[in-house]
Coordinates of all heavy atoms in Angstrom, one line a residue:
S1 N 66.2 97.4 24.6 CA 67.1 96.7 25.6 C 66.1 96.0 26.6 O 64.9 96.3 26.6 CB 68.0 97.6 26.3 OG 67.3 98.4 27.2
P2 N 66.6 95.1 27.4 CA 65.8 94.4 28.4 C 65.2 95.4 29.4 O 64.2 95.1 30.0 CB 66.7 93.4 29.1 CG 67.8 93.1 28.0 CD 68.0 94.4 27.3
D3 N 65.8 96.6 29.5 CA 65.3 97.6 30.5 C 64.6 98.7 29.7 O 64.2 99.7 30.4 CB 66.5 98.2 31.2 CG 67.2 97.2 32.1 OD1 66.5 96.3 32.6 OD2 68.4 97.3 32.3
G4 N 64.3 98.5 28.5 CA 63.7 99.6 27.7 C 62.4 99.2 27.0 O 62.2 99.6 25.8
V5 N 61.6 98.4 27.7 CA 60.3 98.0 27.1 C 59.3 99.2 27.0 O 59.2 99.9 27.9 CB 59.7 96.8 27.9 CG1 58.4 96.4 27.2 CG2 60.7 95.7 27.9
W6 N 58.6 99.3 25.9 CA 57.6 100.3 25.7 C 56.3 99.7 25.2 O 56.3 98.6 24.6 CB 58.0 101.4 24.8 CG 58.5 100.9 23.5 CD1 59.8 100.7 23.1 CD2 57.7 100.6 22.3 NE1 59.8 100.2 21.8 CE2 58.5 100.2 21.3 CE3 56.3 100.7 22.1 CZ2 58.1 99.8 20.0 CZ3 55.8 100.3 20.8 CH2 56.7 99.9 19.8
L7 N 55.2 100.4 25.4 CA 53.9 99.9 25.0 C 53.2 101.0 24.1 O 53.3 102.2 24.4 CB 52.9 99.6 26.2 CG 53.4 98.8 27.4 CD1 52.3 98.8 28.4 CD2 53.8 97.4 26.9
A8 N 52.5 100.6 23.1 CA 51.7 101.5 22.3 C 50.2 101.0 22.6 O 49.9 99.9 22.4 CB 52.0 101.5 20.9
L9 N 49.3 102.0 23.0 CA 48.0 101.6 23.3 C 47.0 102.1 22.3 O 47.3 102.9 21.5 CB 47.6 102.2 24.7 CG 48.5 101.9 25.9 CD1 48.0 102.5 27.2 CD2 48.7 100.4 26.0
A10 N 45.8 101.5 22.3 CA 44.8 101.7 21.2 C 44.4 103.2 21.2 O 44.0 103.7 20.1 CB 43.6 100.8 21.5
D11 N 44.4 103.9 22.3 CA 44.0 105.3 22.3 C 45.1 106.3 21.9 O 44.9 107.5 21.9 CB 43.5 105.7 23.7 CG 44.6 105.7 24.8 OD1 45.7 105.4 24.4 OD2 44.3 106.1 25.9
G12 N 46.2 105.7 21.4 CA 47.3 106.6 21.0 C 48.4 106.8 22.0 O 49.4 107.5 21.7
S13 N 48.1 106.4 23.2 CA 49.1 106.6 24.3 C 50.4 105.7 24.1 O 50.3 104.6 23.5 CB 48.5 106.2 25.7 OG 47.4 107.0 26.0
R14 N 51.5 106.2 24.6 CA 52.7 105.4 24.5 C 53.3 105.4 26.0 O 53.3 106.4 26.6 CB 53.7 106.1 23.6 CG 54.9 105.2 23.3 CD 55.8 105.8 22.3 NE 57.0 105.0 22.0 CZ 57.1 104.2 21.0 NH1 56.1 103.9 20.2 NH2 58.2 103.5 20.8
V15 N 53.7 104.2 26.4 CA 54.1 104.0 27.8 C 55.5 103.5 27.8 O 55.8 102.5 27.1 CB 53.2 103.1 28.5 CG1 53.6 102.9 30.0 CG2 51.7 103.5 28.4
L16 N 56.4 104.2 28.5 CA 57.8 103.7 28.7 C 57.7 102.8 30.0 O 57.5 103.3 31.1 CB 58.8 104.8 28.9 CG 60.2 104.3 29.2 CD1 60.7 103.4 28.1 CD2 61.2 105.5 29.4
W17 N 57.8 101.5 29.8 CA 57.6 100.6 30.9 C 58.9 100.2 31.6 O 59.0 100.0 32.8 CB 57.0 99.3 30.3 CG 56.4 98.4 31.4 CD1 57.0 97.4 32.1 CD2 55.1 98.5 31.9 NE1 56.1 96.8 32.9 CE2 54.9 97.5 32.8 CE3 54.0 99.4 31.6 CZ2 53.7 97.3 33.5 CZ3 52.8 99.2 32.2 CH2 52.6 98.2 33.2
G18 N 60.1 100.2 30.9 CA 61.3 99.8 31.5 C 61.5 98.3 31.4 O 61.1 97.7 30.5
S19 N 62.0 97.8 32.5 CA 62.2 96.3 32.6 C 60.9 95.7 33.1 O 59.9 96.3 33.4 CB 63.3 96.0 33.6 OG 62.9 96.3 34.9
A20 N 60.9 94.3 33.1 CA 59.7 93.6 33.5 C 59.6 93.6 35.1 O 58.5 93.3 35.6 CB 59.8 92.2 33.1
A21 N 60.6 94.0 35.8 CA 60.6 94.1 37.2 C 59.6 95.1 37.7 O 59.5 96.2 37.2 CB 62.0 94.4 37.8
G22 N 58.9 94.7 38.8 CA 57.9 95.7 39.4 C 56.7 95.9 38.5 O 56.0 97.0 38.7
S23 N 56.4 95.0 37.6 CA 55.2 95.3 36.7 C 53.9 95.5 37.4 O 53.1 96.3 37.0 CB 55.1 94.1 35.7 OG 56.1 94.2 34.7
A24 N 53.7 94.8 38.5 CA 52.5 95.0 39.3 C 52.3 96.4 39.8 O 51.2 97.0 39.7 CB 52.4 94.0 40.4
D25 N 53.4 97.0 40.3 CA 53.3 98.4 40.7 C 53.1 99.3 39.5 O 52.4 100.3 39.6 CB 54.6 98.7 41.5 CG 54.8 98.0 42.8 OD1 53.7 97.6 43.4 OD2 55.9 97.8 43.2
K26 N 53.8 99.0 38.4 CA 53.7 99.9 37.2 C 52.2 99.9 36.7 O 51.8 100.9 36.2 CB 54.7 99.4 36.2 CG 56.1 99.6 36.6 CD 57.1 99.0 35.6 CE 58.5 99.1 36.1 NZ 59.5 98.6 35.2
V27 N 51.6 98.8 36.8 CA 50.2 98.7 36.3 C 49.3 99.7 37.1 O 48.5 100.4 36.6 CB 49.6 97.3 36.4 CG1 48.1 97.2 36.3 CG2 50.3 96.3 35.4
V28 N 49.5 99.7 38.5 CA 48.7 100.5 39.3 C 49.0 102.0 39.1 O 48.1 102.8 38.9 CB 49.0 100.2 40.8 CG1 48.3 101.2 41.7 CG2 48.5 98.8 41.1
V29 N 50.3 102.3 38.9 CA 50.7 103.7 38.7 C 50.2 104.2 37.4 O 49.7 105.3 37.3 CB 52.3 103.8 38.8 CG1 52.7 105.2 38.3 CG2 52.7 103.5 40.2
L30 N 50.3 103.4 36.3 CA 49.8 103.8 35.0 C 48.3 104.1 35.0 O 47.9 105.1 34.5 CB 50.1 102.7 34.0 CG 49.6 103.0 32.6 CD1 50.3 104.3 32.0 CD2 49.9 101.8 31.6
A31 N 47.6 103.2 35.7 CA 46.1 103.5 35.8 C 45.8 104.8 36.5 O 44.9 105.6 36.0 CB 45.4 102.3 36.6
R32 N 46.5 105.1 37.5 CA 46.3 106.4 38.2 C 46.7 107.6 37.3 O 46.0 108.6 37.3 CB 47.1 106.4 39.5 CG 46.6 105.5 40.6 CD 47.5 105.4 41.8 NE 47.0 104.5 42.8 CZ 47.8 104.1 43.8 NH1 49.0 104.5 44.0 NH2 47.2 103.3 44.7
L33 N 47.8 107.5 36.6 CA 48.3 108.6 35.7 C 47.3 108.8 34.6 O 47.0 110.0 34.3 CB 49.6 108.2 35.1 CG 50.8 108.1 36.1 CD1 52.1 107.7 35.3 CD2 51.1 109.5 36.8
R34 N 46.8 107.8 34.0 CA 45.8 107.9 32.9 C 44.5 108.5 33.4 O 43.9 109.4 32.7 CB 45.6 106.6 32.3 CG 46.8 106.0 31.6 CD 46.5 104.6 30.9 NE 45.7 104.8 29.7 CZ 45.2 103.8 29.1 NH1 45.3 102.5 29.5 NH2 44.5 103.9 28.0
A35 N 44.1 108.1 34.6 CA 42.8 108.7 35.2 C 43.0 110.2 35.5 O 42.1 111.0 35.2 CB 42.5 107.9 36.4
A36 N 44.2 110.5 36.0 CA 44.4 111.9 36.4 C 44.6 112.8 35.1 O 44.2 113.9 35.1 CB 45.7 112.0 37.2
A37 N 45.2 112.2 34.1 CA 45.4 113.0 32.8 C 44.1 113.3 32.1 O 44.0 114.3 31.4 CB 46.4 112.2 31.9
D38 N 43.1 112.4 32.2 CA 41.8 112.5 31.6 C 41.9 112.9 30.1 O 41.2 113.8 29.7 CB 41.0 113.6 32.4 CG 39.6 113.6 32.0 OD1 39.1 112.6 31.6 OD2 38.9 114.7 32.2
G39 N 42.8 112.2 29.4 CA 42.9 112.4 28.0 C 43.8 113.6 27.6 O 44.0 113.8 26.4
R40 N 44.3 114.3 28.5 CA 45.1 115.5 28.2 C 46.6 115.1 27.9 O 47.4 115.9 27.5 CB 45.1 116.5 29.3 CG 43.7 117.1 29.5 CD 43.7 118.2 30.5 NE 44.3 117.8 31.8 CZ 43.5 117.3 32.8 NH1 42.2 117.1 32.6 NH2 44.1 116.9 33.9
A41 N 47.0 113.9 28.3 CA 48.4 113.4 28.0 C 48.3 112.1 27.4 O 47.4 111.3 27.6 CB 49.1 113.4 29.4
R42 N 49.4 111.8 26.6 CA 49.5 110.5 25.9 C 50.8 109.9 26.1 O 51.1 108.9 25.4 CB 49.2 110.8 24.4 CG 47.7 111.0 24.1 CD 46.9 109.7 24.3 NE 45.5 109.9 23.8 CZ 44.5 110.4 24.6 NH1 44.8 110.7 25.8 NH2 43.3 110.5 24.1
R43 N 51.7 110.5 26.9 CA 53.0 109.9 27.1 C 53.2 109.6 28.6 O 53.1 110.6 29.4 CB 54.1 110.8 26.6 CG 54.0 111.1 25.1 CD 54.4 109.8 24.3 NE 54.4 110.1 22.8 CZ 53.3 109.9 22.1 NH1 52.2 109.5 22.6 NH2 53.4 110.2 20.8
F44 N 53.5 108.4 28.9 CA 53.6 108.0 30.3 C 54.9 107.2 30.5 O 55.2 106.4 29.7 CB 52.4 107.2 30.8 CG 51.1 107.8 30.6 CD1 50.3 107.5 29.4 CD2 50.5 108.7 31.5 CE1 49.1 108.1 29.2 CE2 49.3 109.3 31.3 CZ 48.6 109.0 30.1
D45 N 55.6 107.6 31.6 CA 56.8 106.9 31.9 C 56.7 106.3 33.3 O 56.7 107.0 34.3 CB 58.0 107.9 31.9 CG 59.4 107.2 32.1 OD1 59.4 106.0 32.6 OD2 60.4 107.8 31.9
V46 N 56.6 104.9 33.3 CA 56.4 104.3 34.6 C 57.6 103.3 34.9 O 57.6 102.4 35.7 CB 55.1 103.5 34.7 CG1 53.9 104.4 34.7 CG2 55.1 102.4 33.6
S47 N 58.7 103.6 34.2 CA 59.9 102.8 34.3 C 60.5 102.8 35.7 O 61.1 101.8 36.2 CB 61.0 103.2 33.3 OG 61.3 104.6 33.5
A48 N 60.3 103.9 36.4 CA 60.6 104.0 37.8 C 59.2 104.4 38.5 O 58.9 105.6 38.6 CB 61.6 105.1 38.1

């Protein structure tokens, strides 16, 4: 759906992005989550 966009990344991660709104904030949040996870997680939800 327009609010259910997802990404599959080369390292095997999957990201629930949601809508295109607020993408700039989602980019920042995703980078922080991936850095904090340090490879221990592969599922990220930044839709909110």
Side-chain angles (χ1 to χ4, degrees):
S1 71
D3 297 324
V5 179
W6 55 264
L7 314 176
L9 305 183
D11 66 356
S13 298
R14 191 176 178 94
V15 182
L16 179 58
W17 198 266
S19 71
S23 286
D25 292 335
K26 295 174 183 179
V27 168
V28 174
V29 171
L30 177 61
R32 291 173 179 169
L33 293 178
R34 295 179 75 188
D38 194 23
R40 297 187 301 274
R42 287 288 186 271
R43 298 291 182 269
F44 304 94
D45 183 346
V46 295
S47 57

